[in-house]
Amino acid sequence: MMAKDFDFNRLVIVGAQWGDEGKGKVIDFLAAQADVTARFQGGDNAGHTVVYGANIFKLHHIPSGILNPATLCLLGNGMVINPQVLVRELDELEKRGIKTDNLRISGKAHLIMAYHQAMDEANEKMLGEQKIGTTGRGIGPAYADKALRRGIRAVDMLDFSRFCERLGGILPLQNKILQNIYGHPGFKYEELCESYRPVCEKIGPLIIDASLLLAEQIKNKKKILFEGAQGALLDIDHGTYPFVTSSSTVAASAASGTGVGVVWIDNVIGVLKAYTTRVGEGPFLTEEKGEAGAQLRERGSEYGTTTGRPRRCGWFDSVIARYAARINGLTGLAVTKLDVLSGMDVVRMAVAYRRRGELIRHFPLDPSVLKECQPVYEDFPGWDEDLSHARNITDLPAAARRYLQAMEDAVGVKIEIVSVGPDRSQTIICPGTPTAGWMGR
Ligand code: IMP
């Protein structure tokens, strides 16, 4: 057993709302100092756009750290990986001159197969009005097969004949489900198997024992950034069930999703948008269906990276943010897209909910009661100034600083980073915070 050091070397970044908080931008910024960036849950349902100079990268599986050749990028065992999509992502990066030989994949990660995606789509169609609004990437069926112990793992790709054997054992049942329940024609074994041959060849050499690699990195006091996908309210246990994703999105799964002991996690940053968005179905109390929502959507370019769907938009909800702080054990906050709020006459923040006359300050145990709740707002004066050139907290207008202070007070966790635009340079690091230390400032 290694002795625990007390330097700040291992940082988890998680979404603290319903995903799409701008984690990619924050992670990309912090990854500049990281020796390793590791994803620990989710799959290609995630999508992050990273802007670097004139280049825009849309990544689904691959951690943002890939843009830095000195950073080792890991896909952890807690993930579900669509190997065909992953190969397309790798090809796209390589075509644009980005080296990808710094990527490694845990052999224990499960694969999203073509039949998972078919089932996800068919299931949503069958649910009709009751649908979850998934990304259609096969995430739920892949995690279900993992739990049912009939998944195919990355390690099975090391040997193509073993991969085919495993697929041959599983496909008849998958086809029966597809044909008999969903009316789908199913998949032909030979054709399906062959379609994975080039993928196995490309991905096979990247497969490793991620836990062992991370233990070595920890021993050598390397800086490791654990990169969460989606957000706290989409967590399979703690989110707005059943309108959630199928993985554990909270910080604790950074440990189990990579094979690292929990004691090695030093800090946890929760990323919060200065307002709130959500894609897919499910409760969203501060949603603005009128003018204010449309304004946030257009100014914030709130359209999904993975599906292109317009995001539902509304005001910042400190009830869910406080809840996210609790279930993640957040040690710091990163607030993104503050610049989008410029030009609003009034900026609103939900500070509590009201249900049948009663004031509720904690996120309810049963999300179905949210139907009976209304947000209780505190209003803040807006500001007109363009924030995109601010590089220090003191560059921000007083009204924006006051709003940030109110966010910090309502959530009960210090703001360490403020983002005022998509570019790496448009980032404010609050002096004296652990993040400033991580960045070597
Ligand atoms: P799934 O993860 O595709 O099964 O989708 C389940 C729910 O999570 C749906 O409401 C999706 O819109 C949502 N979701 C999944 N991934 C993301 C993400 O990266 N950002 C935002 N919402 C997501």
Side-chain angles (χ1 to χ4, degrees):
M1 177 68 191
M2 289 176 277
K4 181 161 167 42
D5 66 70
F6 289 95
D7 294 336
F8 169 30
N9 286 326
R10 276 91 39 186
L11 170 64
V12 182
I13 308 283
V14 286
Q17 290 159 320
W18 277 286
D20 307 321
E21 298 91 350
K23 292 180 293 295
K25 148 81 197 269
V26 174
I27 290 163
D28 175 57
F29 182 78
L30 297 175
Q33 299 296 317
D35 298 295
V36 183
T37 58
R39 270 198 65 186
F40 52 90
Q41 46 74 227
D44 60 330
N45 48 351
H48 43 269
T49 310
V50 180
V51 181
Y52 186 49
N55 291 317
I56 297 177
F57 298 97
K58 286 187 192 296
L59 304 175
H60 293 285
H61 291 99
I62 302 180
S64 318
I66 198 80
L67 304 183
N68 179 358
T71 307
L72 195 60
C73 293
L74 267 187
L75 305 187
N77 58 276
M79 287 186 73
V80 284
I81 297 169
N82 184 326
Q84 283 163 329
V85 176
L86 175 60
V87 166
R88 279 206 293 277
E89 264 176 78
L90 286 168
D91 289 346
E92 180 63 24
L93 284 166
E94 285 160 10
K95 248 198 312 202
R96 291 160 81 176
I98 308 284
K99 279 174 78 102
T100 60
D101 52 7
N102 50 339
L103 182 73
R104 301 286 179 280
I105 301 166
S106 163
K108 295 177 194 158
H110 277 249
L111 300 184
I112 303 174
M113 302 295 290
Y115 47 80
H116 289 135
Q117 210 172 342
M119 269 174 207
D120 192 3
E121 279 167 9
N123 194 53
E124 283 281 278
K125 216 175 271 167
M126 193 172 260
L127 283 170
E129 295 273 282
Q130 318 268 316
K131 72 172 193 249
I132 306 293
T134 72
T135 58
R137 298 299 182 113
I139 305 295
Y143 276 115
D145 273 355
K146 171 178 175 175
L148 285 165
R149 289 145 296 180
R150 59 178 193 221
I152 302 182
R153 303 200 300 174
V155 73
D156 297 318
M157 299 184 99
L158 281 174
D159 173 353
F160 187 58
S161 60
R162 173 170 147 188
F163 174 84
C164 293
E165 199 182 307
R166 184 99 185 113
L167 181 60
I170 289 164
L171 192 63
L173 175 66
Q174 304 288 0
N175 273 339
K176 251 190 207 151
I177 298 171
L178 277 172
Q179 290 157 351
N180 297 342
I181 298 179
Y182 296 116
H184 184 282
F187 291 88
K188 290 199 176 69
Y189 169 71
E190 282 79 14
E191 240 172 66
L192 188 64
C193 211
E194 253 336 284
S195 72
Y196 285 97
R197 186 191 287 277
V199 172
C200 285
E201 277 165 14
K202 173 116 187 172
I203 288 181
L206 307 178
I207 293 165
I208 53 138
D209 182 337
S211 168
L212 199 57
L213 183 144
L214 286 172
E216 200 54 35
Q217 298 283 328
I218 291 170
K219 199 164 117 195
N220 294 328
K221 298 188 181 248
K222 298 289 185 189
K223 278 193 158 152
I224 306 172
L225 189 71
F226 295 91
E227 169 170 343
Q230 291 87 45
L233 277 294
L234 288 172
D235 181 86
I236 184 79
D237 292 301
H238 303 289
T240 43
Y241 194 88
F243 300 101
V244 292
T245 190
S246 301
S247 66
S248 172
T249 62
V250 292
S253 78
S256 62
T258 57
V260 159
V262 285
V263 291
W264 297 108
I265 307 291
D266 296 317
N267 282 352
V268 183
I269 297 269
V271 185
L272 287 167
K273 221 176 255 184
Y275 47 97
T276 311
T277 63
R278 167 161 212 180
V279 278
E281 309 304 311
F284 174 5
L285 240 60
T286 59
E287 181 171 11
E288 280 290 324
K289 293 189 173 155
E291 185 55 32
Q295 212 172 323
L296 290 170
R297 185 174 309 109
E298 290 321 308
R299 289 201 188 161
S301 308
E302 296 295 353
Y303 295 88
T305 315
T306 303
T307 59
R309 289 180 288 182
R311 294 178 184 142
R312 300 157 65 192
C313 297
W315 299 114
F316 181 74
D317 180 346
S318 70
V319 179
I320 67 164
R322 256 195 317 278
Y323 176 59
R326 166 155 54 93
I327 61 179
N328 280 292
L330 298 183
T331 59
L333 301 177
V335 175
T336 62
K337 292 196 156 182
L338 186 67
D339 53 303
V340 172
L341 294 179
S342 290
M344 296 273 182
D345 291 338
V346 171
V347 179
R348 312 195 85 185
M349 178 189 299
V351 291
Y353 302 155
R354 195 178 300 282
R355 181 179 179 230
R356 299 180 187 159
E358 189 199 339
L359 209 61
I360 300 177
R361 284 190 49 79
H362 297 296
F363 192 75
L365 166 66
D366 177 5
S368 70
V369 306
L370 291 171
K371 280 200 287 286
E372 300 166 2
C373 296
Q374 299 83 41
V376 176
Y377 283 115
E378 196 173 325
D379 289 346
F380 296 86
W383 57 90
D384 287 325
E385 291 88 335
D386 171 12
L387 307 188
S388 62
H389 302 291
R391 296 295 176 267
N392 295 296
I393 281 290
T394 47
D395 296 338
L396 296 172
R401 289 212 303 270
R402 192 171 153 213
Y403 178 67
L404 284 176
Q405 187 61 53
M407 283 179 81
E408 190 173 284
D409 294 345
V411 182
V413 179
K414 268 234 153 314
I415 295 174
E416 300 195 12
I417 301 173
V418 180
S419 171
V420 290
D423 197 79
R424 265 187 202 174
S425 64
Q426 293 171 305
T427 313
I428 297 171
I429 296 279
C430 301
T433 60
T435 303
W438 169 278
M439 294 305 294
R441 293 180 186 183

